[in-house]
Each structure stands twice: as structure tokens, then as C-alpha cells.
Amino acid sequence: MQSVDIENARRDLLQWSPPIIADTLSDAYLGCLGADHLSLRVFGSMHARLWRVMLQGERDKLNEVRRELTGHARLAGVAKARLDAIDQIVLNELLDVVTARFLRSPDLARAYSRLLLTASANLAEMRLVTA
């Protein structure tokens, strides 16, 4: 697959994924922090930014954004393991959408899957860097 195809898939993924990511993060943080937590929306927004940076392929910003999120989470009593679990939920949701939405377009599904595999590798690297 040519890099142009991956970049087109990246642009498309950045178009349709934000509402899915936001909903998934909202549900995850609601379950983690509770509906009355003052920082509920802040965490969702910060974590969505992390995913946007990751899907844009901005590796130089990724660890900085993760450290910021991890620092705020620590202050709120949210363990890094919980952040990792939330990332896994988001990744699984995006993979489910790609599988369901692009079942009849294997080339496009492959391009999205490659982007999400890169995201998965970035998540693993972030865990090591922010350990």
C-alpha cells in the first residue's frame, strides 16, 4: 500500500473517529470517576487529545501529552493501569468500527488496521516511557 493511501486513510480516520473516541472515553471515565467528579470532562478532553495526536502520527508530541494526562490522573487518584485499560477500550472500539464498517473494502480496512496497529505500538511505547 502506498503512503498516499495511508495518509488518505489517516485523514478519513481523523474525520470519523473523534465522536467514537469521545463517547468511549466519556463512558470509561464516568465508570472510573463517577458522574459527580469535577474533572470528568477534563479527563475526557485530555485523553481525546492524546488519541488525536497519536492518530495524526505526531510521535514527538505523544509522550508529552501522555505525561500530562498521567500527571493529572495521579492527582485525581487514577492509576496508570486504569489509563492503559481505557486506551485498550478505545483501541478495541475503533477496531470494531473498522471491522464492521469496512468489511466489504479490504484495502481500506487494511489501511485503517495498519494505522491502528501503529497506535497500538505507540501505546506500548508510551507505557514504557511513562513507567
Side-chain angles (χ1 to χ4, degrees):
M1 181 159 293
Q2 298 177 358
S3 63
V4 173
D5 296 331
I6 292 291
E7 287 309 310
N8 286 337
R10 182 185 312 278
R11 278 191 296 278
D12 192 43
L13 181 63
L14 287 165
Q15 288 278 323
W16 61 257
S17 68
I20 295 165
I21 293 169
D23 287 349
T24 304
L25 289 171
S26 178
D27 290 346
Y29 279 110
L30 185 64
C32 178
L33 299 171
D36 296 330
H37 197 282
L38 296 174
S39 298
L40 185 63
R41 288 186 182 192
V42 172
F43 278 106
S45 177
M46 289 177 71
H47 212 139
R49 178 175 177 239
L50 174 99
W51 274 90
R52 186 173 49 255
V53 167
M54 187 168 19
L55 294 176
Q56 287 171 334
E58 298 181 51
R59 291 185 54 123
D60 54 324
K61 289 185 182 179
L62 195 55
N63 290 328
E64 173 189 332
V65 174
R66 177 62 177 210
R67 279 190 201 98
E68 183 180 325
L69 175 64
T70 303
H72 282 81
R74 185 176 32 251
L75 291 174
V78 177
K80 283 185 4 179
R82 184 65 178 154
L83 294 178
D84 294 341
I86 291 171
D87 282 328
Q88 191 62 50
I89 292 167
V90 172
L91 183 61
N92 288 342
E93 186 66 26
L94 291 174
L95 285 168
D96 288 348
V97 170
V98 166
T99 302
R101 185 175 178 192
F102 301 103
L103 186 61
R104 294 188 179 147
S105 179
D107 289 339
L108 202 48
R110 189 175 304 111
Y112 289 128
S113 295
R114 286 182 177 167
L115 290 170
L116 294 175
L117 282 171
T118 300
S120 180
N122 288 335
L123 289 172
E125 184 179 318
M126 279 188 308
R127 287 181 188 134
L128 295 174
V129 170
T130 60

